[in-house]
Amino acid sequence: MGTSFAEICQKIVESLRDFYDTGAAERLPKDRFPNLIGLPNGKSLLIPDSVSQGISHFSRRWFAQQIGFAGQLASKDIERLGRSAFADALSDIDLSRDPTALSIEILRTVSERLSAEASALEGPRTYICGCWLVRDQSVRMLIGPVLFEPREDWLGRNLSEGRISSTAARRIRRRWAGVRVRTRKKTWDYYREEAIVDTVANCPDVCTVTVQNMAASIGETKAFLTARLAIMTAALLWKRPSKALEGFGLLIDGDRQLVSTVSHSKDCEILTSSRSARKLKGSTWMSAGEWPSLWGGSDWLSRPCGMALEAFADGKMPASRTSLSRTIFLALWWFYEACGSDSDLMATVKFGAVLDVLAGGKSNAGIERMIESLLMVPRGKP
């Protein structure tokens, strides 16, 4: 590919011209899935692999040169935004024109579109899914950007905020109660209702995660990792956190073969794709009144962990407390992985990684000094 954006665009124009002028488009193998790019008018444009590679190359380089996008976009986000931008530029392309002039026009259109998409990444994006926490008890926890609350509270809050219509809220409550409802017209409100019912399912609680300054794909990935680590934070209040994690969990890690998630941006709601899941054992049991007293005095734990999760869930991570936030986040992550390990050996290795992270990556000597400092026991003393 060319070394400049204009040269990349010119290569794309020349490849398209050769593809259609030489009849290569008609000679594609019949057993191969065509490489199509969706156009704004609803039609599709058949493109050769060289054009697809050129679009990917352009998009990666464009975002690589922008400051502050490293934590805001996944590879699939860059690919999607790039193809969408080129779709606008190629929708009414006239390949008989001068390729140099045409490539300059394409470059301008694509750059404007990508700039607009980059600006749209600013602000919050919220993801939800059903979850299990403490059996037969109403649990409300706020850990950084993650909020756990009973599903009735979640529904009432979103109704009052205007995210859910009164009709949808009434029907959702009836469906949660097991009451059959009439089929309704397939409007946007209908699809929103279906997404919520499928997302929460029969879970008693709802997990809401708000990420900042991220595209949809990387936002979803980071949101639910953040949610899992928030659950890990709560489980640390148990003498055996791994035991609590047997009951705590998200529906996306549950016992359904395919489960959906729903997310919404600041301006509109976005439905996300389904994913496979594994079996979850069920919610954790506690005696009445035990949870409020346990969680009520947990600021020493929930506040620093929440700050670490907030930093992770922000595509433009603030510079303040970056080192401390990263240390807490990595320690939580390794501890979560260790608790979920099927092998005792792997769990031991991961628990060791937790200690190494907390010791500043200084291996055995650092771990020993940390333990001496915490226990106030001199080295070598039995």
Side-chain angles (χ1 to χ4, degrees):
M1 287 295 167
T3 56
S4 69
F5 290 123
E7 288 174 331
I8 296 174
C9 290
Q10 188 163 343
K11 287 285 187 181
I12 289 174
V13 171
E14 292 171 354
S15 296
L16 273 177
R17 179 179 290 175
D18 292 342
F19 184 64
Y20 283 101
D21 287 353
T22 61
E26 285 77 27
R27 296 196 301 271
L28 288 175
K30 300 298 182 183
D31 59 345
R32 176 183 169 184
F33 192 79
N35 197 343
L36 300 172
I37 186 169
L39 302 178
N41 59 10
K43 298 181 180 180
S44 297
L45 176 67
L46 182 63
I47 59 175
D49 290 342
S50 58
V51 171
S52 181
Q53 293 165 5
I55 292 173
S56 297
H57 181 55
F58 184 103
S59 306
R60 288 195 301 270
R61 282 193 56 189
W62 193 92
F63 280 106
Q65 291 188 8
Q66 310 303 307
I67 298 175
F69 281 96
Q72 294 182 266
L73 294 159
S75 296
K76 63 173 67 175
D77 292 316
I78 294 175
E79 184 77 16
R80 175 180 57 82
L81 294 176
R83 289 178 76 91
S84 177
F86 272 92
D88 282 354
L90 300 177
S91 58
D92 297 314
I93 190 172
D94 182 1
L95 294 174
S96 64
R97 292 176 55 193
D98 176 61
T100 302
L102 192 56
S103 64
I104 293 173
E105 185 177 311
I106 291 174
L107 174 59
R108 182 175 64 252
T109 302
V110 170
S111 297
E112 290 174 355
R113 176 64 186 272
L114 289 179
S115 295
E117 293 287 358
S119 299
L121 295 177
E122 301 292 333
R125 188 184 295 271
T126 305
Y127 296 82
I128 71 161
C129 70
C131 62
W132 292 270
L133 295 173
V134 181
R135 188 179 306 167
D136 300 329
Q137 294 192 42
S138 295
V139 172
R140 181 182 176 86
M141 290 191 299
L142 179 62
I143 306 175
V146 186
L147 173 63
F148 299 97
E149 59 189 327
R151 65 182 185 183
E152 279 293 338
D153 293 355
W154 176 88
L155 186 64
R157 179 170 60 81
N158 280 268
L159 175 62
S160 64
E161 293 174 356
R163 296 190 185 278
I164 301 174
S165 70
S166 57
T167 300
R170 183 178 66 254
R171 289 171 57 88
I172 290 170
R173 285 194 177 97
R174 289 174 62 84
R175 294 174 71 173
W176 281 346
V179 179
R180 189 182 182 91
V181 296
R182 296 176 58 184
T183 303
R184 62 184 301 195
K185 187 177 180 180
K186 293 186 178 180
T187 60
W188 173 244
D189 199 45
Y190 161 81
Y191 289 108
R192 181 175 299 179
E193 174 191 329
E194 291 299 312
I196 291 170
V197 170
D198 192 39
T199 298
V200 179
N202 62 343
C203 297
D205 304 297
V206 177
C207 170
T208 303
V209 190
T210 302
V211 300
Q212 301 284 343
N213 310 310
M214 293 185 196
S217 178
I218 193 171
E220 180 179 350
T221 300
K222 285 197 169 187
F224 293 116
L225 176 55
T226 303
R228 293 181 184 104
L229 298 188
I231 287 176
M232 181 71 257
T233 300
L236 288 173
L237 295 171
W238 268 251
K239 291 182 179 180
R240 286 185 59 192
S242 58
K243 188 68 176 177
L245 288 177
E246 291 180 1
F248 286 2
L250 306 176
L251 179 59
I252 56 172
D253 299 326
D255 57 359
R256 299 178 62 187
Q257 185 62 30
L258 288 176
V259 292
S260 298
T261 60
V262 62
S263 69
H264 56 77
S265 65
K266 176 172 54 178
D267 302 317
C268 62
E269 197 160 32
I270 305 167
L271 303 184
T272 58
S273 58
S274 297
R275 57 173 61 191
S276 59
R278 62 188 181 187
K279 187 173 179 59
L280 186 72
K281 296 181 180 179
S283 53
T284 298
W285 183 86
M286 297 184 75
S287 60
E290 187 178 354
W291 171 254
S293 61
L294 184 65
W295 182 250
S298 65
D299 277 359
W300 63 271
L301 175 68
S302 61
R303 185 169 296 177
C305 291
M307 288 168 53
L309 296 181
E310 279 182 347
F312 176 72
D314 191 341
K316 295 182 177 180
M317 191 190 326
S320 59
R321 296 186 296 273
T322 299
S323 179
L324 177 60
S325 295
R326 186 181 293 113
T327 298
I328 295 173
F329 174 81
L330 290 175
L332 279 173
W333 192 354
W334 278 116
F335 201 94
Y336 177 81
E337 291 292 327
C339 288
S341 293
D342 295 327
S343 163
D344 290 342
L345 177 60
M346 287 306 301
T348 302
V349 171
K350 292 173 181 177
F351 282 129
V354 175
L355 294 175
D356 188 44
V357 168
L358 294 175
K362 296 180 180 179
S363 194
N364 291 343
I367 293 173
E368 289 177 1
R369 284 195 297 271
M370 180 183 69
I371 293 175
E372 288 175 13
S373 175
L374 290 173
L375 300 181
M376 293 183 289
V377 176
R379 188 179 307 186
K381 183 175 181 179

